Amino acid sequence: MTSISARANGKHKHHHNRCFDDDSDLANRWDGCLPLPTLSPIIARGVLFVVSVVCFAVSYDGEFVFDDSEAIVGNKDLKPETPLWSLVEHDFWGNKLNNKSHKSYRPLTVLTYRWNYYFANGLHPIGFHIINIILHGVVSVLFLSMFSILLDRLPSQLDKRRSSEVTPRGTEGVSKAAFLSALMFAIHPVHTENVAGLVGRADLLCAIFFLLSFLAYASACVDERGGSRYRPESVKWGRLLVSVLWCFLATFSKEQGITVIGVCFVYDIFVELSPWVRCLLQRVFVLATAAVVFLLMRLQVMGLSPPTFQVPDNPHSFVEGAVYRGFNYNYLYSINGWLLLNPWWLCFDWSMGCVPTIVSLSDHRLVCVFVLWAVIGSVVFHALTGELTHEKRCVVLALGVLVIPFLPASNLLFRVGFVIAERNLYLPSAGFCLLVSLGAVRLSSYAHLRQIVGAGLSLLCVMFVARCVHRSQHWRAELPLYSEGEKVCPLNGKVHYNIAKLQADRGETDYAIQKYRLAIELNPEYDQAMNNLANILKDRGDNLEAETLLTKAVTINPVFAAAWMNLGIVQASLKKYDQSETSYRTAISHRHNYPDCYYNLGNLYLDQKRHQEALLAWHNATRLKPQHHNSWSNAIILLDNLGRQDQAVKMGVAALKHLPESAMLWFNVANVQGKMELWEDSEHSFLSAIRLDGREARYHLNLGVLYHRWGKLEKAEKAYKVALQLDPNNPIIHENLGMLQKKRQT
C-alpha cells in the first residue's frame, strides 16, 4: 500500500507541534489536546452538579442577609393570606408598581419564594438556601448542553462543496472544551452572591429558562440525525414557539431574560448562512416579534415610564457631559471584567463612594478603559478578519454570550439603579468562561505548553473552589458580610450604614453612632443614615441634634415619610406641638397607609388633651393595621379614663378579635370590666392575661384587687401572694395584702 508523502506540490506543510493537522481532523478532535479526561455525558453532568453544589454548600444554613430582608422577610406577597394575583400587580419587593417603585418585575421568582414559605410553614432560611444551591447545579448542567452546541463542529465551507455531505461530530464523550467552560462557570466565585444571597434566586431561575429557550431555538436551527448535523429546509414552528415560551418565563424571572433573543440571533447567523436563508429570516422575524411584544409588556407593567433613581444609587450616570459619562461607564465595564478575571475583590454593594467617579482626563484609572478596549478589540479583530474558521465562530459566539446578557446592566439602554452588581454577571460570565476555554484549547495545541496548561487549570480550579467556600461563609450572616465589604469598599457609605444598623439592633449604640457619623461624612446627603442616627440620639434624650439631623434629612428628601414622622416625635418631645402636628401630617401625605404615624399623632393629641382627635387618630391606625396593639391599648385606656367604660369594653372586644394572644389587651379589658363590677367577665379576662403571661406581677395584683372587691378573700390572698413572689419589693402588694389580712382577722 502506497504511503502518503509528507510533501505536497513540492512544499512541506509545517504544523509547529499543533495537536491537529487539517480542517478535517479539526472536525473530530479540535479540543482533544486539552489536558482533561474524556467523560461520558452522564458522568460529566454528574461531576458538574456535585462540584457546583460543593462550592456553595456551606451557605445552606445561612441567615436572611442584606436585600433578603426586603425581598423576602418583609414581602407580604409571600404570605398565604395575600391574594396570588398580587404577585402580578406588585414589584419584586412587594410594592405597588408606581413612580416610587424600582419596577423590578419578577413574579415567577416571588412565586418560588411563596412556595418556600408555604411548604416550610413560615420563613425558614435553610429551605430557601438549599433550593438556591440546587438551582445553581441545574444551571451548570444546562450550560454544558449550551456549550456543547456552541463549541461543536459547525457546518464549514467544505460542506458547500460536498453538497449533501455533512461533517461528522465527535462521538466519544462530551466536548472537553464544553466541559471546561461549564466547570469554570460552576465554580466561579463571582456567583456566590447569586447562590448564597437569596435575592439571587431571580438570576438562577432566569438562567434556567434562558438556557431552555436557547436549547429549544438551537434545535430549530440544526437537525441531528445519525450523528450528522444539517440545516432544516423548513421552519420548525413548534420548537420556535417553545423557545419563545421559555424566554417569556425567563423575562418574568428577571428582566435580563429577554437577552436570550439576542444570543439566539447571533447563534443563528453564525451557525452559517446557507441556501435556506428563507428559514433563517422567518426565525429572525419570530425573534424580533417576540422581543417587541415582551418590551411592550414590560413598558406597560412599568406604567410607560422608567424607574427614577437618586445620585447615590448610580453617581456615574449623573456625571455631566456625555464624554465623561462614557469614560465612567467604560471604567465600570473594566471593573466588571476584573471581577470575572480576578474574583478576589468582591463586595455585597458597590454604590455611593465605593467607586469614585472620573471627572478629569488626567485620572489614571482611564488606563483601565484603554486596556479593556485593547483586549476586546484584539479579540474582535481576530474573530472577524480572515477566513471564518470554527475557532473564530466560537469566539464570536462567546462574545455574544458575554456582551448581550450584560446590556441591561450597561447603562446604555437606560439608567440603572446600581454602580456594579455581581449578581448581574451570572449569565455574562458564561461567555467569559467560554473564552477561557478557547484560550486553553489554543495553548494546549502546542505540545510544550500542554502540561503547563494542565497544571494551571488544576490550580485555578482549586483556588476557585476555595474562594467559593470562603466567600459563602461571608454570606451566611450579615456582620461578616458587611465587615468584608468594609475592607473592599471603605469609601462606601452604605457599608458603614449597614454595619451601624446591625450593631444598633444588637444594642451596640456607641459603635452604631460612630458608623452612622462616618457614613454621613462619606455621603453628606445620606438621609437614611441621618434618620437612623437621629432615632438613637432621640432615645438618648439628645433631641436637639436629632431635630437638626431629621430637618436636614427631609430637606434632602422631602418625601421621606419616616423622617417626617420621627421629626414629629422629636418636636413633640420639645413641646413644639404645632410643628409636630405639621410634620405628622406631612408624613401621612407622602404615605397614606401609615398606621405608626397615626398612632404618634394620637399621642400628640393626647398630650394636648384633644381626646376626640386622639381617638380618631388611633382609630385610623387600627383601621390601616388591625394588629396595631398600642393604638388599641391607648384608646381603651383613654375611654376608661373618660368614664366611657361601655365603649372601652366594646373596643376591647373588637381588638381581641385581631389580637387574641395579647396579654396586655386582656389585662386592660379586665380592669374596665372590674370597674363596671362585671366580676365574672373581669375574672375571665384577668385569667386569660395570666395564661398568656403568668410572669407579670401586675396581672396577679389586679386579679387580687378584683377578688378583694368581689368578696372572695381567700382567692384574693392567693393572688396577692403570687404577685409578691414575682415582685417582692412592690409596696402596693404589701399594702393590699396587709389590708386583706386585717379584714380577714376581723
Side-chain angles (χ1 to χ4, degrees), residues 396-407:
V396 172
L397 293 172
L399 288 173
V401 176
L402 172 64
V403 173
I404 295 173
F406 183 73
L407 287 176

Side-chain angles (χ1 to χ4, degrees), residues 166-185:
V166 291
T167 303
R169 299 176 62 198
T171 57
E172 295 184 2
V174 298
S175 163
K176 290 184 178 181
F179 177 74
L180 177 60
S181 302
L183 180 63
M184 289 292 102
F185 177 87

Side-chain angles (χ1 to χ4, degrees), residues 619-669:
H619 169 73
N620 285 328
T622 57
R623 176 179 54 83
L624 294 170
K625 184 180 178 182
Q627 290 76 31
H628 203 284
H629 178 277
N630 290 340
S631 293
W632 286 114
S633 185
N634 281 14
I636 293 169
I637 294 172
L638 177 58
L639 287 171
D640 181 26
N641 292 338
L642 294 175
R644 296 156 63 177
Q645 280 78 24
D646 288 341
Q647 294 181 37
V649 170
K650 289 181 180 178
M651 181 166 287
V653 171
L656 289 169
K657 289 181 180 179
H658 300 287
L659 295 163
E661 300 300 311
S662 171
M664 179 59 68
L665 283 178
W666 281 109
F667 175 70
N668 290 335
V669 171

